[in-house]
Amino acid sequence: MLSQTMQDAINEQIKNELYSAYLYLSMAAYAEEANLPGFAHWMKVQAQEEVGHAMKFFEHMTERGGRVVLQALDQPAVEFASPTDLFEKTLEHERHVTSLIHNLYALAVKENDYASQVLLHWFIEEQVEEEANATQILATLKMAGDKGNALVMLDRALAGR
Ligand code: MG
């Protein structure tokens, strides 16, 4: 059985993961309007992964006798400055999520909640991946620039995710 403290914290993280999906969908909408279908595809896949993260916490809660209580989501940013801005904000957001996951892990340790610690090991590794992916694409974007042939090539590459 999950403690009420852990249930509250996991409900908060379900919201954070769903907000991530919302943010990446908003980035996808920007990319669609900017005629960058590859960027839009990458962001849509990312949004689906975030829903998957929320569902991992959802199932963990249910399996351990907790009660999922969904919370209101904030409106994500609508406008972005450029393709580079998308990935600067993606990296910034993923670093923020990493800190949230680390805080949740610290709480699970404090609460002697071993099962949640095991679940959170997966998320800790996942965040390493998330930050590495965003860092790599951002580095490529900085070489390619925000317009021209190199950006078109990168858009095609991102379509292959
Ligand atoms: Mg996530």
Side-chain angles (χ1 to χ4, degrees):
M1 179 81 187
L2 282 159
S3 70
Q4 192 58 50
T5 307
M6 282 306 295
Q7 288 190 44
D8 292 347
I10 291 171
N11 276 322
E12 183 72 19
Q13 192 57 28
I14 289 173
K15 181 196 74 179
N16 294 332
E17 299 293 348
L18 291 175
Y19 174 78
S20 298
Y22 229 38
L23 174 63
Y24 293 128
L25 268 184
S26 191
M27 290 184 179
Y30 165 87
E32 294 281 13
E33 193 186 34
N35 292 311
L36 293 166
F39 280 75
H41 171 77
W42 194 96
M43 289 298 172
K44 287 181 210 170
V45 173
Q46 186 70 18
Q48 281 172 349
E49 278 198 3
E50 299 301 348
V51 173
H53 295 167
M55 290 313 295
K56 270 185 185 281
F57 284 116
F58 188 113
E59 303 304 348
H60 181 75
M61 191 87 108
T62 306
E63 280 169 7
R64 299 192 53 217
R67 174 66 157 93
V68 172
V69 179
L70 295 179
Q71 298 168 29
L73 298 179
D74 291 333
Q75 184 183 22
V78 174
E79 294 304 334
F80 300 91
S82 62
T84 300
D85 186 42
L86 288 183
F87 277 92
E88 278 172 348
K89 294 220 159 79
T90 296
L91 180 56
E92 185 185 323
H93 182 69
E94 288 305 327
R95 284 176 174 158
H96 171 62
V97 173
T98 298
S99 73
L100 297 173
I101 293 290
H102 290 177
N103 290 344
L104 196 50
Y105 185 82
L107 184 67
V109 170
K110 190 163 159 253
E111 295 276 305
N112 294 322
D113 184 341
Y114 304 110
S116 291
Q117 288 173 39
V118 171
L119 175 73
L120 286 162
H121 283 164
W122 184 89
F123 278 95
I124 290 166
E125 283 186 344
E126 177 69 9
Q127 285 310 120
V128 172
E129 281 289 305
E130 299 281 30
E131 287 191 32
N133 290 342
T135 300
Q136 194 263 311
I137 295 168
L138 185 58
T140 306
L141 259 168
K142 283 183 173 166
M143 286 186 279
D146 277 319
K147 50 185 70 159
N149 289 343
L151 184 66
V152 172
M153 296 297 286
L154 179 58
D155 188 62
R156 283 186 192 153
L158 292 179
R161 179 180 185 182

